[in-house]
Amino acid sequence: MKKEIKIILPIYKIAYSIAFILILGLIRRVTYTHEVGAAIEAPFAILAAVFCADTYVQEMVSNRSEVHRLYPIKRRVCSIRNRMIIQEVFLIKLAVIGYGLFFIFQNPEIHPTTKSECIQFFIYFFAITVTAFFWGILANTLSMLFRNMWMGIGGCLFIWGAANSLGADKFLGAWNVFSYSFREIENTADFTWLYGKVLCIGIGLALLAALPKIVRKRG
């Protein structure tokens, strides 16, 4: 696992992800605390996609792919999954820090409809965990299918642009992958946005299940 951490979390990835979350906390303005989660989710999805897009294709970039292909499929799949877990854990920790930075940098007010800041945070934690998981595994899968990191990032940006729009919100409603961001934040009793997160989990698990077949076909 230490070897995987060293490979998948180089200094430059840690540096740009930390810089991203710092800048986001400074420039993305919020007024109330319940707006923080929605302010983070969509930009964080881009970070997750870029961060995880090279999970496997870096083997080709670093000229290790020929050696990697000699390993059994099970070992190669296990390696990819371990790398995804490492990256997801790092991203989730970063998302928690990012949430706190909004309070430090902007000191938002508590809206009258907010019943509990603690519950609000745990709802955010669940939503952002699913977001990191979905966009991370999607970027890695697209990169593997096209054998190109930039195609993986580009494909995610296309899907991101389509989903993160008023048209998608109107058409998909609670089934949008960004349902948490588009929810009625003042209606704390409405949890229909969970449908979109359940959809993200389902798609993510399906992509993980397809990983061995993708590795066999795309090498």
Side-chain angles (χ1 to χ4, degrees), residues 60-194:
M60 290 177 266
V61 175
S62 60
N63 298 318
R64 293 193 301 262
S65 59
E66 295 303 321
V67 175
H68 204 259
R69 286 178 182 176
L70 299 176
Y71 297 149
I73 291 293
K74 187 175 181 181
R75 181 175 174 181
R76 291 158 66 188
V77 171
C78 184
S79 174
I80 295 170
R81 287 175 177 167
N82 285 340
R83 292 179 184 184
M84 286 301 305
I85 290 171
I86 293 166
Q87 291 176 117
E88 295 292 352
V89 169
F90 177 82
L91 286 170
I92 292 167
K93 288 180 179 179
L94 199 63
V96 171
I97 294 171
Y99 189 87
L101 289 177
F102 272 83
F103 287 80
I104 295 171
F105 294 155
Q106 302 190 34
N107 193 28
E109 300 176 18
I110 299 175
H111 196 273
T113 60
T114 302
K115 296 179 180 179
S116 171
E117 285 291 332
C118 186
I119 292 174
Q120 185 171 267
F121 169 76
F122 280 112
I123 290 173
Y124 161 79
F125 183 80
F126 167 76
I128 207 68
T129 298
V130 175
T131 295
F133 166 72
F134 172 74
W135 290 98
I137 191 64
L138 178 63
N140 177 59
T141 302
L142 291 175
S143 294
M144 291 181 68
L145 287 172
F146 291 104
R147 296 177 62 83
N148 187 296
M149 179 181 75
W150 298 109
M151 288 296 291
I153 294 173
C156 283
L157 285 176
F158 177 80
I159 296 169
W160 183 92
N164 188 35
S165 65
L166 293 176
D169 177 46
K170 198 171 183 180
F171 180 71
L172 297 172
W175 292 99
N176 192 339
V177 294
F178 288 117
S179 57
Y180 172 75
S181 293
F182 285 110
R183 77 196 192 285
E184 294 183 34
I185 55 179
E186 294 182 9
N187 184 4
T188 56
D190 181 19
F191 283 94
T192 56
W193 59 268
L194 285 171

